[in-house]
Amino acid sequence: MRAVLTVVGKDTVGILACISVACAKRNVNISDVSQTILQDLFCMIMMCDISRITVPFDRFVDEMSELGKEKGLSIHVMHEDIFNAMHTI
Amino acid sequence: MYNTRDILETITMIQDENLDIRTVTMGISLLSCIDSDIDVACKKVYDKIVTMASNLVPVCEQIEKELGIPIINKRIAVTPIAMLASACQTHKIVKFALTLEKAAAAVGVNYIGGYSALVQKGFAYGDYALIESIPEALSLTEHVCASVNIGSTKAGINMDAVAMMGKIIKKAAQATADKNCMGAAKIVVLCNAPEDNPFMAGAFHGVGEPDCVINVGVSGPGVVRAAIAKSEGLDITGIADLIKRTAFKITRMGQLVAREASKRLGVPFGIVDLSLAPTPAVGDSVAHILEEMGLEVCGACGTTAALAMLNDAVKKGGVMASSHVGGLSGAFIPVSEDAGMIAAAKCGALSIEKLEAMTAVCSVGLDMINIPGDTPDEVISAIIADEAAIGMVNSKTTAVRVIPAIGKKVGEELSFGGLFGSAPVMKVSTASPKKFIQRGGRIPAPLQSLKN
């Protein structure tokens, strides 16, 4: 089971570290990371393995969204199925 | 790894462009609940609905959270209640509506449809009593929706039923005059009603359907409008292709949700309804798509052509994205539920006559239109007859959901709140069709060959 975690916001020091720690705490393994600067915005996409996650997935979604609010970032976690459905035939 | 642009596109669609699943509707057959004693029948109906749909809302909420896509409504559609009423030795049919209301509240769904009768060729025992009870049923309930199919391409139009429905709609509005005439907003008169429609108020569970089924209605006018807005300089061919691509993506989301819901509930997947269903929210309007194509305002000359293209492109794009397509499938044009339509009606650019023309090429019909409260019953019946004739001749579903705004005149506003929105009262022709409607009888089924 994989999820896509996206982070969009103003670039600051330590974004990657902060997200990775939050994932590690919940036993979410980050399998791939790509990051770019889009129109002055920091934009990071992480593929996460959530098969051994220690909290319910919906709580993880809420907690990451909360963390984003604290840091002034927009963080979304969505199951990979939705991207598969929409962008692959 | 996915393409960054694809991922951000999906998130933008959901966050900024109001992409959502409009409804997950569970169809439940109540044929097994038929009983000659109405109290026994009602108990069976309640038990069956509560058993079958107990997990519907929690499962949808779980899917919503996991996939990150909002599911706006969870609904239930049941076998037309007239079929159950036909077995009962009583005329107090309204008990069924109260039972549906109680069951809907128990399982937490937004609406329950199926307080319906199919009378396209004539009234069976039970049909008449059910139709008569609709105004009372809708005034005593909040979640129940009623529909009556009065015509079809195969059967023609039942003009006795048409005459009756004019009166019923008026009575339903009068009975709920203190609640913004909401009764009339929850009743729809159909021609060629589909048996697997997940959208209210016309949803019911047809007799050809399995015992229980999951149907999904998608939405996303905002996404289509945004796609057109971002693409400068396309000709109409280009726009049609763009709409097809967008509709494909929207529908894939619907198919995914339908498959998941079906799997988790252990209920077969029925269909995905390929629809563009607007809401009164800014950026969620079908009228704005037409305006984005280049019309100054919805209702201008060219609106019917633009809508025809949009409706066709949505279907073409969606068909490949889902394994089973059905329901109403197409673009909806409800006036009070669409910010662009409301604005067009307010500024006088959109008339009922133009809307009628538009219904010949869109998915349903005259939908959520406020008319003066003193509109005679026979005029409402004649509106229904006109709309049904368009559906009958063109082998498509058409419907009428007009709300006589009791105590209000043309130009005054009637507001329903929530997804129902608000709209000005529109002008209706006052020339009398009384004699035509009073004749009764049936319009024979149209010829479907010799089309030259």
Side-chain angles (χ1 to χ4, degrees), chain B residues 364-384:
Chain B
V364 200
L366 294 173
D367 199 12
M368 292 303 291
I369 297 172
N370 294 336
I371 56 172
D374 58 0
T375 305
D377 296 351
E378 59 271 14
V379 170
I380 301 175
S381 293
I383 294 173
I384 295 171

Side-chain angles (χ1 to χ4, degrees), chain A residues 4 6 32 34 38 43 45 47 57-58 62 76 78-89, chain B residues 1-2 4 6-11 13-15 19 65-69 248-249 252-253 256 320:
Chain A
V4 177
T6 58
D32 199 351
S34 86
L38 271 179
C43 173
I45 295 171
M47 291 302 300
F57 182 66
D58 53 352
D62 289 339
H76 292 287
M78 287 158 86
H79 202 282
E80 74 162 336
D81 282 356
I82 198 152
F83 302 101
N84 262 333
M86 211 183 235
H87 300 289
T88 56
I89 296 177
Chain B
M1 189 71 186
Y2 298 95
T4 308
D6 288 348
I7 288 179
L8 293 179
E9 182 190 51
T10 303
I11 291 172
M13 280 180 178
I14 296 169
Q15 297 293 318
L19 176 59
K65 203 86 189 181
E66 264 176 44
L67 297 179
I69 171 98
F248 176 83
K249 290 177 183 172
R252 287 282 279 196
M253 191 107 78
L256 172 66
M320 193 183 148

Side-chain angles (χ1 to χ4, degrees), chain A residues 2-89:
Chain A
R2 293 201 305 174
V4 177
L5 191 154
T6 58
V7 184
V8 180
K10 198 170 167 291
D11 195 9
T12 50
V13 174
I15 295 180
L16 186 52
C18 152
I19 308 284
S20 324
V21 169
C23 288
K25 264 190 193 165
R26 295 161 182 88
N27 207 24
V28 170
N29 187 34
I30 299 164
S31 53
D32 199 351
V33 183
S34 86
Q35 62 180 73
T36 46
I37 303 289
L38 271 179
Q39 296 156 358
D40 294 336
L41 280 181
F42 171 82
C43 173
M44 178 169 74
I45 295 171
M46 284 177 162
M47 291 302 300
C48 305
D49 182 353
I50 49 166
S51 46
R52 293 203 180 84
I53 190 167
T54 51
V55 294
F57 182 66
D58 53 352
R59 219 171 90 197
F60 179 55
V61 173
D62 289 339
E63 285 172 356
M64 293 309 281
S65 168
E66 274 304 309
L67 177 68
K69 278 180 200 153
E70 279 170 31
K71 303 273 172 195
L73 300 162
S74 162
I75 305 183
H76 292 287
V77 184
M78 287 158 86
H79 202 282
E80 74 162 336
D81 282 356
I82 198 152
F83 302 101
N84 262 333
M86 211 183 235
H87 300 289
T88 56
I89 296 177

